[in-house]
Amino acid sequence: MPRPGRAAVTARWATVGGLAMLSACASVPDTPPVPAPVIRPDAPATPLPAAVGPETLPSWADEDHLAAFHAYSDTCDLARDAASTRQCARAMDIRRLSRPVTPSAARVFFETGFSVVEAVTADARPGLLTAYFAPEYSARRTPEGEFDTPVLPPPPGWVRGQVLPVRAEIEAGPPPSPPLAWMRAEDLFFLQIQGSGYLTFEDGSTVRAAYAADNGQPFVGIARPMADQGLLPRDGTSGEAIRAWLAANRGPEARAVTALNPRYIYFVLQPDDGGHPAGAAGVALSPRRAIAVDPAGWTYGDLVWIRADGGNLIGARGSYSGLVMALDTGSAIRGPVRADLYLGRGALAGAEAGAVRHPLRMWRLVPR
């Protein structure tokens, strides 16, 4: 998730150890869509032996190859090089001629059509997997009780790259334009981290709050400072834990903590189509099959195998592995072995995303 829409979903409680590095994703991500970049010739990646295919990947036999095949074929037309175009056309033929496509046919497609290349960090250590989601929050059209924090549109005359005041100054001053909606302060803070989400008003109507602009300030995670100040235990800085603390300390104390992150996101309201937000690549994100990556080393549309074991936050799942598509980016997603996994929409996805902070290995599947 730009995240989302970075759009991503970008600037994505993305993962929070999460908030320590926070994303967004994405969403997917908090930057608007940008053209897919080209991989630099010096991108740090070490190829495995020439004929090595996906069947050599860890946990490959446990993958749901059919689900991966459909996620790939839904978005593979993003890639423009000849080999990628050839494999995408091959996938389209399989979908057209095989009714239905079988799990074994999907597995054979990947094993015969791709080789694997592992991405590596400069020091050869594991990278980092975090996660993001599309939040759903209550909102009001006018201020009411705890719904006292405005959702702001871009300032008049805003241009990309413009540096505006930090979060604390924006929140202390009068809104430069009429607010789009009103939210709880902690909900808006997390909506800004994710970069987009969904708002439900008191009459039951819903809209999508999509990234529209930012204040040009850097993102700073608040998880580590909260742990340093003894506000939360070091293994208890999940997104849920941070949000609960902010809600319990709503007012000057919570604002002092959120002010540690100077970045501020402005929104635009769009219709809710009931689906998932688009990532920076401009296509809808598929839960658990889309990641935000660093565009300096990856191209939108890349097919990637991720393997992440050993999360250290309370409530974390043991591991994540599978085939995913590079469809998004985010301000905190930097490095050749760094990914933000889109987990879906709503509270359950958010609770899981907030506990994802796992050592990561990544392989690019290179079309033959």
Side-chain angles (χ1 to χ4, degrees):
M1 146 194 217
R3 209 182 258 184
R6 184 144 37 291
V9 151
T10 166
R12 118 10 152 259
W13 40 37
T15 86
V16 186
L19 283 167
M21 310 234 0
L22 250 137
S23 194
C25 302
S27 197
V28 212
D30 55 0
T31 54
V34 294
V38 176
I39 300 173
R40 298 194 316 250
D42 61 345
T46 302
L48 296 175
V52 171
E55 65 276 7
T56 64
L57 292 167
S59 302
W60 175 255
D62 300 325
E63 172 65 311
D64 183 342
H65 300 96
L66 182 57
F69 174 83
H70 285 296
Y72 167 79
S73 58
D74 284 344
T75 57
C76 63
D77 59 352
L78 288 171
R80 301 301 184 188
D81 63 279
S84 296
T85 300
R86 184 167 57 251
Q87 291 304 329
C88 187
R90 182 170 163 244
M92 294 299 100
D93 285 342
I94 292 173
R95 287 185 67 158
R96 178 172 53 85
L97 299 174
S98 303
R99 297 184 180 277
V101 180
T102 65
S104 59
R107 178 170 180 169
V108 168
F109 168 78
F110 291 120
E111 291 180 352
T112 58
F114 297 84
S115 299
V116 294
V117 176
E118 185 170 8
V120 297
T121 58
D123 60 5
R125 295 171 61 86
L128 177 67
L129 178 71
T130 54
Y132 67 110
F133 72 112
E136 297 175 331
Y137 294 126
S138 296
R140 298 291 185 267
R141 300 191 186 279
T142 57
E144 174 188 322
E146 60 193 18
F147 296 88
D148 61 357
T149 306
V151 180
L152 298 180
W158 177 84
V159 295
R160 190 179 311 285
Q162 183 177 358
V163 178
L164 301 175
V166 297
R167 169 183 297 277
E169 294 181 41
I170 294 173
E171 292 180 338
S177 302
L180 303 173
W182 296 81
M183 297 177 64
R184 299 181 180 96
E186 63 275 10
D187 289 347
L188 177 62
F189 181 74
F190 275 93
L191 179 68
Q192 291 177 319
I193 287 173
Q194 298 303 314
S196 72
Y198 298 86
L199 305 182
T200 301
F201 294 102
E202 56 268 50
D203 62 1
S205 62
T206 62
V207 296
R208 179 171 180 252
Y211 168 95
D214 62 71
N215 64 344
Q217 300 286 344
F219 173 85
V220 177
I222 65 172
R224 186 170 298 154
M226 292 184 73
D228 290 343
Q229 295 176 31
L231 304 178
L232 292 172
R234 293 195 177 278
D235 63 349
T237 56
S238 69
E240 278 291 333
I242 292 172
R243 185 178 176 280
W245 189 94
L246 294 175
N249 296 275
R250 191 180 292 131
E253 192 172 1
R255 285 197 298 273
V257 172
T258 58
L260 297 173
N261 175 23
R263 190 168 180 81
Y264 192 91
I265 305 301
Y266 300 91
F267 294 95
V268 61
L269 299 188
Q270 301 173 339
D272 175 11
D273 64 2
H276 293 274
V283 299
L285 302 170
S286 179
R288 301 182 184 276
R289 294 292 176 183
I291 56 172
V293 294
D294 184 349
W298 299 87
T299 297
Y300 298 137
D302 275 349
L303 183 59
V304 186
W305 181 263
I306 60 171
R307 176 70 187 184
D309 299 300
N312 59 9
L313 292 178
I314 293 173
R317 284 179 45 167
S319 64
Y320 291 86
S321 67
L323 280 169
V324 294
M325 298 289 291
L327 299 177
D328 205 358
T329 191
S331 60
I333 311 304
R334 294 293 179 264
V337 190
R338 178 72 173 92
D340 208 16
L341 178 64
Y342 177 67
L343 292 180
R345 177 173 167 172
L348 290 178
E352 182 181 354
V356 180
R357 187 175 176 80
H358 290 55
L360 174 67
R361 296 176 69 190
M362 298 173 70
W363 290 260
R364 190 191 319 270
L365 272 72
V366 180
R368 293 174 176 169

